[in-house]
Amino acid sequence: MLTRVVSRQELPRLAEVCGLDDDVDVEASFRIDDYGRVHVTAELRAMVNLDCYLCNEAVTWRLQTAFDAVVVFDETQAGEWSDLTAASGGKIGQIIV
């Protein structure tokens, strides 16, 4: 398990879109499955400021999201691994190219 605090400067898109005022807490783990694929499982937590479309005010919200992904090297490999996973009855949340 890797635990890291990522500064808002390292996440400019998230900081811009979500009004990120503080750092992001990240916990990630890595494993290799039976097919030799690298899996990344991570959870991210941060406080963000979002615009409320009902009251037109900024609302502070606790962002907490998790994902499970497989790392691939190109779109061809992504398609092959997606087909392989479906055929074996497995489930992958995302494929990262």
Side-chain angles (χ1 to χ4, degrees):
M1 176 73 68
L2 170 72
T3 302
R4 180 170 181 233
V5 175
V6 180
S7 73
R8 67 182 305 280
Q9 289 79 16
E10 294 177 82
L11 302 167
R13 288 175 49 195
L14 181 63
E16 180 183 339
V17 172
C18 293
L20 185 62
D21 287 334
D22 211 354
D23 298 333
V24 177
D25 295 322
V26 178
E27 289 183 6
S29 61
F30 306 87
R31 67 180 174 83
I32 297 177
D33 69 10
D34 296 338
Y35 300 103
R37 301 177 300 187
V38 177
H39 283 256
V40 179
T41 303
E43 185 170 330
L44 303 115
R45 290 177 300 282
M47 298 301 289
V48 296
N49 296 309
L50 304 172
D51 293 329
C52 176
Y53 290 100
L54 291 175
C55 66
N56 226 12
E57 298 287 330
V59 177
T60 301
W61 189 262
R62 179 167 177 76
L63 173 67
Q64 185 167 345
T65 188
F67 67 86
D68 181 22
V70 172
V71 179
V72 299
F73 299 102
D74 56 41
E75 294 293 336
T76 302
Q77 191 177 47
E80 292 170 358
W81 285 0
S82 182
D83 293 343
L84 175 66
T85 300
S88 66
K91 183 180 180 228
I92 296 175
Q94 290 114 4
I95 296 178
I96 300 171
V97 179

